[in-house]
Amino acid sequence: MDQLAVSLEERRSSLVAAGGALAGMADVLHQASGDELAELLTIVDDVAAQSAAARVAITAEALNRGEVAAAGTNAHTWVRDHAPSLRQGGAGQVATVAMAVTGGGAGWQPDRPAPEPDSPLGLVAAGVADGSVSPALATAVLREVERLAPHLRDEALPTVVRALIDLGVQWGPTVMRRLRPRLLAEYGLPGELDDLQERLAGSARLSMPLVESGDLTEYQLLMTPEQATALEAAIGPLSAPAPDDETGQRDLRPAGQRRVEALTEVCRRSSALDAEGKGADGAAAASSAVHVTIALNDLVSVTGCGEVLSSSATATVLSPQVLRRISCEADLIPHVLGTAGEELDLGRVVRLFTRAQRRLLRRRDRGCTFPGCTAPAAWTKAHHIVHWADGGASDVDNAGLLCQRHHTYVHTRRLIATVSPRPDHLGRYVAWDLEPGSYDRHLEKLRAERAVHDPPPLTPERLRLLLDGLWVDDPAEQAWAESELGWMTSDDPWPDDEEPTGSPPATGARLLDRSA
């Protein structure tokens, strides 16, 4: 049937019937097969697309006739009044496209000629009329063309509009906007892409952190293409999933977590290079150093929390476990507090492993020592097998290289390792006990051994016993030693302004000088 021969009344009747058919659709869908469901969806989608085109056509006709003006309102309100479903969204897009097609947005005339077929407006209007371009996409294309047109060669404008429409039809308006740099590169005026990216630099920004104690810290980041390229090149290799082929453990971290951990690792590496260039003590003044306050008992017993000082992250709360992990890999400047809140240690940079030690570890371990991990040595940090906070020595015999992911894993699962002077049959110097809590069991064993072998504390009573056991062959020298050493066992040592007098005999000198 010739669509032009269908009268308005016949169309109205068909539309009413279609509305009734659609209204009862859900009640009969159980009768359809799988193929019929797909067919029905395609039919309904085509009806919806034609309905969107008809909305724009009706609104444009109302504008041309002056019906909208006669109603004393604007196109947007007129559409909302007569298409109630668009009050949920979309009324503005229908009105915008209708006004653009009729010229209603800028001094329109009822007898205004239709736009040229190859003009941006003509191409968009044709797509809307046949239902292939939705009002939402049409609005986005017109907005993008308005932005791009001054920067394009005149003869290339129709080609660019067609490209935007085709891409938008397939993937939507958001993806369409990503085409902008390539369009400028291929169809823009000389130097336009360079100018655009230079202008972007002024809009790029990294916000100050929005810190919530005990919660996540939020940043807002906008980057130029150059900056984004550098960032992705840096974090891309580090953010890929890393399953462990040896243990069969899957990498269950979400993509967002992997990316933020990769960014953190890049920052840590940069900080480490900066600190090494400044020397062992230079990091205290460097922006990469971490200043933290924490009570000594909390650090040792893994309780309480620490608080960051002297940076834009001030007041961020870090758990003792996190501080223990940081102490393996960063310049930690502890402001350690005593039981009364007094500062016991202020501003001392803890350089846990020297550069020479780290180089030795890189030669020994070659990379991350966790079973199955292939991270190279450049991606690792030196980890204290027995933690520094638990008295672990900063010695290569108490160290193993770990990548950031497995460093966190080892601290979280509380794992211990054994360091051997010679490699095993797999060439490993560091062998990990992967049973959760193995570190705590090892630490308990160490503490028990220390309690057996360490000498008892040097109390005044024990000091008297030691002095009583001293043997000096000359009674005069013995009397002198007891008189001069008596202050050490006295409950009332001499005042600050008094000093012991007299010169010790030769034997007494040897008694006092423990290095002799």
Side-chain angles (χ1 to χ4, degrees), residues 142-159:
L142 292 174
R143 187 183 302 116
E144 189 69 11
V145 169
E146 182 181 4
R147 174 176 292 186
L148 284 175
H151 308 287
L152 300 174
R153 301 192 303 273
D154 292 340
E155 67 275 13
L157 190 56
T159 302

Side-chain angles (χ1 to χ4, degrees), residues 38 50 55 82 91 209 219 254 308 363 375 402 415 442 499:
Q50 295 299 329
R55 285 167 172 164
H82 300 288
Y219 291 88
V308 176
R363 290 195 301 270
L402 287 173
L415 303 182
H442 178 77
E499 297 289 344

Side-chain angles (χ1 to χ4, degrees), residues 91-349:
Q93 295 164 345
V94 170
T96 298
V97 176
M99 292 177 68
V101 170
T102 60
W108 97 181
Q109 302 284 334
D111 57 351
R112 186 175 186 267
E116 294 294 329
D118 284 340
S119 68
L121 186 55
L123 293 169
V124 171
V128 172
D130 64 21
S132 63
V133 177
S134 69
L137 177 59
T139 304
V141 170
L142 292 174
R143 187 183 302 116
E144 189 69 11
V145 169
E146 182 181 4
R147 174 176 292 186
L148 284 175
H151 308 287
L152 300 174
R153 301 192 303 273
D154 292 340
E155 67 275 13
L157 190 56
T159 302
V160 170
V161 176
R162 290 190 184 94
L164 292 174
I165 292 175
D166 291 343
L167 187 64
V169 167
Q170 293 296 321
W171 303 104
T174 302
V175 177
M176 176 196 70
R177 288 191 287 271
R178 298 179 185 176
L179 192 61
R180 185 185 305 162
R182 183 165 296 278
L183 292 176
L184 286 176
E186 295 187 13
Y187 303 107
L189 297 171
E192 282 296 331
L193 183 58
D194 290 333
D195 292 343
L196 171 65
Q197 297 200 346
E198 287 182 8
R199 291 194 299 272
L200 290 177
S203 299
R205 68 178 184 273
L206 173 62
S207 69
M208 296 295 290
L210 178 60
V211 179
E212 294 290 342
S213 294
D215 206 339
L216 297 176
T217 300
E218 179 181 340
Y219 291 88
Q220 291 184 342
L221 174 63
L222 294 176
M223 306 183 78
T224 66
E226 177 186 359
Q227 294 164 341
T229 300
L231 175 64
E232 293 303 322
I235 71 174
L238 296 175
S239 59
D244 193 323
D245 295 333
E246 183 172 332
T247 63
Q249 180 186 7
R250 297 171 56 197
D251 189 349
L252 300 179
R253 296 173 299 165
Q257 180 184 349
R258 295 198 308 269
R259 287 176 59 80
V260 75
E261 289 179 358
L263 177 59
T264 304
E265 175 63 17
V266 170
C267 294
R268 284 192 175 118
R269 293 183 191 177
S270 174
S271 298
L273 290 175
D274 181 61
E276 286 187 5
K278 293 176 179 296
D281 298 324
S287 58
S288 60
V290 180
H291 295 251
V292 178
T293 60
I294 186 169
L296 180 60
N297 289 339
D298 288 338
L299 184 63
V300 173
S301 59
V302 200
T303 58
C305 63
E307 187 170 325
V308 176
L309 300 173
S310 305
S311 78
S312 56
T314 294
T316 299
V317 171
L318 301 178
S319 71
Q321 195 66 267
V322 170
L323 290 178
R324 285 166 166 254
R325 188 167 67 245
I326 291 176
S327 69
C328 284
E329 60 191 25
D331 287 321
L332 182 65
I333 303 180
H335 298 244
V336 181
L337 307 180
T339 56
E342 72 278 12
E343 288 194 344
L344 305 179
D345 187 355
L346 173 61
R348 178 177 61 85
V349 177

Side-chain angles (χ1 to χ4, degrees), residues 466-483 485 504-512 514:
L466 292 176
L467 289 176
D468 291 342
L470 290 176
W471 178 78
V472 180
D473 55 0
D474 188 338
E477 291 181 349
Q478 177 69 35
W480 177 91
E482 291 178 353
S483 65
L485 294 175
T507 306
R510 289 194 300 272
L511 184 65
L512 289 178
R514 305 298 294 171

